[in-house]
Amino acid sequence: MKEKRKIRRRRKQAGVALLLAIFVLLLVAVVGIAMMAASGTETSLTANYRSSTSAYYAALSGLEEGRGRLLPKNPNYLSCCMPPPGSTLPLGQVIYITNPLASDPVPSDPTNYGNPQAYPDTEYTIREGFAPPAYVKVSSAQTLPGSPNPLYKWVRINAINERAILVDVNNTNPGPPNSDWFQFLNTPQLIYFDGKNLTRSVTQYQALSVTALAALPDGSTKLLQYVVAPVALQIPISAALTIAGPGSVGTVAVVNKPSMPNYSFSIHGDDQAPGNNGGLPPCPTKPSLPAIGVLNDADYTNVHDNTLVNPQPGNYTGGGVSTPSVSPSPYVHPSNTTVDMTDAVSLSNFLPIVQNGADSVLNGPRTEADMPSAMTSLNPMTIYVNGPLTLNNSFTGYGLLVVRGNLTYSGDSGWKGIVIVLGGTITATNAPGSNGEFDGAVYLANLPTGGGVTLGQPTYNIANHAGQGIYYHSCWVSASLKPITYKVISFREIPYP
């Protein structure tokens, strides 16, 4: 008997599960591979961002070192290379701060244009189309003792013109229609700062460029640039001697003149700048000022009518005012001034600004022996004395002197610059020779110590006929108003070739 075979008909769905399993496996593999790729990309992006950020902050630290070393009060001031007060850094003259690493295969050198591994300063020579500059190199300052500096290679400090910053500063050279305006930027003229804006008009303060290149071992580079300008104290000078009193009855400004009938002490508001500037660069003569300035009619009556009108009114000249030259209300508040010299609150707010920017802060009482030895005619300083000060022994100071107390000086001593006395009294004492004098400007007020809003009675006591007097000198006024900071006007990142 034959065995019957059962023939099973194959189902149409047979093998679907296997195909689904393979498809799911492939899908999971693809997703896994995509996630691995995304993770790798994210890791690369994170590493690139971290490297770029590190290079950015390294370059930024170089910018800040360069900006900080422009200030004379900085212990690492660029005294080797910065021009003296009243002068400018010329176009084509560059100061380099170098910061090479011992591990560099080729020592970094911004002037080694033939070797890209030396990180040459091609931004100056190629991108702007300038010739290689005359330069001075100095070493970077140690950021923290025992710690390496950030990885910037060099910092460049140089004068700028319109082409260097790609800005038509005075909006005077737009060029013909449809022309390349870049070709019409003013290249030979320096850029200055007027207290608010960059300008091609010559002012006391020059704008500078600070550029820093940073490079990390992984090849990341950043080239950053500041345009900076000095910000100095703006102190209005309206007389050779300004005596600020409240003008009320019984508290009028007092000048105790010499008692002898003939004396040499004098105060003059005619600018002495054309004379001997004591090593300062020449500066233009400014208009004459009154010899003495007061703020109200009561002070004018007491100083002019009751004190100086006789004898020898000719010892007080200036400003086109008949002798004695005493001008009521001479104060004109400039638009960019730091302080209102007529207001007690403004003067009080002015003091911490001076302290923060001072080269030397002294708690009184002090004498000439406490003045910094580095202060010279070529290095005028800002000195803040919190208390009384006495100057003797033929001492002469240079710069801005602010005394939060009374000033006493012998006739053989003096100061070149601006002297601000807020204790209420200046007293001159006699001394052999008595040839000392104040060249610049002097300001006297009685600022309340308890935070009052009204000035007290000021007294200038020269009864002992000490010294030659006070002479307005615009050069010394300008030299004493040194920058207290360098303000960042603009900031940009530049591609490094």
Side-chain angles (χ1 to χ4, degrees):
M1 185 175 178
K2 291 184 178 180
E3 183 179 356
K4 294 183 177 181
R5 292 183 179 180
K6 294 182 178 180
I7 300 175
R8 296 180 179 178
R9 303 176 70 180
R10 186 173 300 217
R11 297 178 181 176
K12 294 182 178 181
Q13 295 85 358
V16 171
L18 178 60
L19 291 176
L20 287 175
I22 294 173
F23 177 77
V24 171
L25 182 61
L26 289 175
L27 181 61
V28 170
V30 170
V31 171
I33 293 172
M35 292 180 66
M36 291 176 62
S39 176
T41 302
E42 185 70 22
T43 301
S44 298
L45 289 175
T46 301
N48 289 339
Y49 177 77
R50 181 169 56 250
S51 178
S52 177
T53 302
S54 298
Y56 173 87
Y57 283 109
L60 191 63
S61 68
L63 290 182
E64 288 300 317
E65 177 180 345
R67 185 168 75 108
R69 293 179 69 174
L70 293 173
L71 289 173
K73 69 175 183 178
N74 190 308
N76 297 304
Y77 172 60
L78 299 170
S79 57
C80 64
C81 333
M82 287 297 290
S87 300
T88 55
L89 189 67
L91 291 169
Q93 175 66 53
V94 167
I95 303 169
Y96 283 115
I97 301 173
T98 59
N99 184 38
L101 290 178
S103 59
D104 286 339
V106 176
S108 59
D109 182 354
T111 63
N112 186 359
Y113 305 112
N115 191 340
Q117 289 185 301
Y119 299 99
D121 184 10
T122 53
E123 193 272 334
Y124 188 91
T125 59
I126 298 176
R127 188 174 301 279
E128 303 299 343
F130 295 146
Y135 58 85
V136 177
K137 292 181 183 177
V138 298
S139 298
S140 61
Q142 189 69 31
T143 303
L144 292 173
S147 300
N149 277 356
L151 299 179
Y152 60 87
K153 296 300 182 182
W154 48 259
V155 178
R156 183 187 75 232
I157 299 171
N158 61 280
I160 56 173
N161 55 22
E162 288 185 337
R163 186 174 178 181
I165 58 177
L166 303 179
V167 175
D168 184 9
V169 171
N170 286 52
N171 196 28
T172 54
N173 295 315
N178 302 319
S179 68
D180 183 358
W181 66 271
F182 178 80
Q183 301 299 323
F184 293 89
L185 295 177
N186 190 295
T187 56
Q189 191 164 347
L190 292 170
I191 301 299
Y192 297 85
F193 183 63
D194 64 6
K196 288 185 177 181
N197 303 298
L198 296 177
T199 177
R200 292 208 317 263
S201 301
V202 177
T203 70
Q204 183 180 351
Y205 303 113
Q206 179 187 15
L208 299 171
S209 171
V210 182
T211 308
L213 173 69
L216 302 188
D218 63 5
S220 295
T221 60
K222 287 289 181 181
L223 186 64
L224 305 181
Q225 186 177 84
Y226 281 161
V227 173
V228 300
V231 176
L233 295 173
Q234 299 293 323
I235 300 175
I237 303 299
S238 52
L241 168 65
T242 300
I243 307 178
S248 56
V249 177
T251 58
V252 292
V254 175
V255 176
N256 291 324
K257 66 178 181 180
S259 56
M260 60 188 67
N262 296 305
Y263 58 87
S264 59
F265 181 91
S266 58
I267 302 176
H268 297 288
D270 298 321
D271 192 5
Q272 306 297 306
N276 183 6
N277 292 336
L280 293 179
C283 58
T285 304
K286 297 290 182 67
S288 294
L289 300 177
I292 300 175
V294 294
L295 306 183
N296 49 73
D297 292 337
D299 288 346
Y300 178 84
T301 298
N302 193 52
V303 173
H304 180 277
D305 298 344
N306 300 340
T307 305
L308 300 180
V309 71
N310 186 45
Q312 296 186 217
N315 285 31
Y316 310 94
T317 63
V321 180
S322 60
T323 58
S325 174
V326 179
S327 176
S329 304
Y331 181 84
V332 177
H333 200 295
S335 58
N336 294 327
T337 188
T338 307
V339 57
D340 182 346
M341 304 291 279
T342 69
D343 181 71
V345 175
S346 182
L347 281 169
S348 297
N349 295 334
F350 170 68
L351 294 180
I353 298 176
V354 177
Q355 282 185 280
N356 292 334
D359 297 291
S360 180
V361 177
L362 306 171
N363 289 320
R366 295 285 182 157
T367 70
E368 73 285 346
D370 300 305
M371 294 290 116
S373 59
M375 179 175 60
T376 66
S377 59
L378 298 179
N379 184 32
M381 291 185 169
T382 298
I383 310 297
Y384 180 86
V385 181
N386 188 23
L389 173 66
T390 301
L391 301 178
N392 290 307
N393 302 317
S394 301
F395 175 83
T396 299
Y398 305 90
L400 172 63
L401 173 65
V402 177
V403 182
R404 187 63 178 95
N406 296 323
L407 172 64
T408 302
Y409 68 94
S410 60
D412 57 356
S413 298
W415 196 275
K416 295 184 184 299
I418 300 175
V419 176
I420 299 175
V421 178
L422 301 178
T425 302
I426 298 177
T427 301
T429 62
N430 206 352
S434 290
N435 291 321
E437 64 184 49
F438 290 79
D439 294 314
V442 177
Y443 178 88
L444 172 63
N446 190 347
L447 181 64
T449 57
V453 296
T454 303
L455 297 175
Q457 182 179 38
T459 300
Y460 197 131
N461 186 3
I462 48 176
N464 288 320
H465 183 204
Q468 296 300 305
I470 301 171
Y471 298 83
Y472 170 57
H473 200 302
S474 62
C475 286
W476 282 114
V477 168
S478 297
S480 66
L481 296 176
K482 297 193 303 182
I484 57 175
T485 188
Y486 268 79
K487 178 180 180 180
V488 178
I489 306 298
S490 68
F491 169 77
R492 64 172 174 160
E493 180 178 342
I494 306 170
Y496 183 67

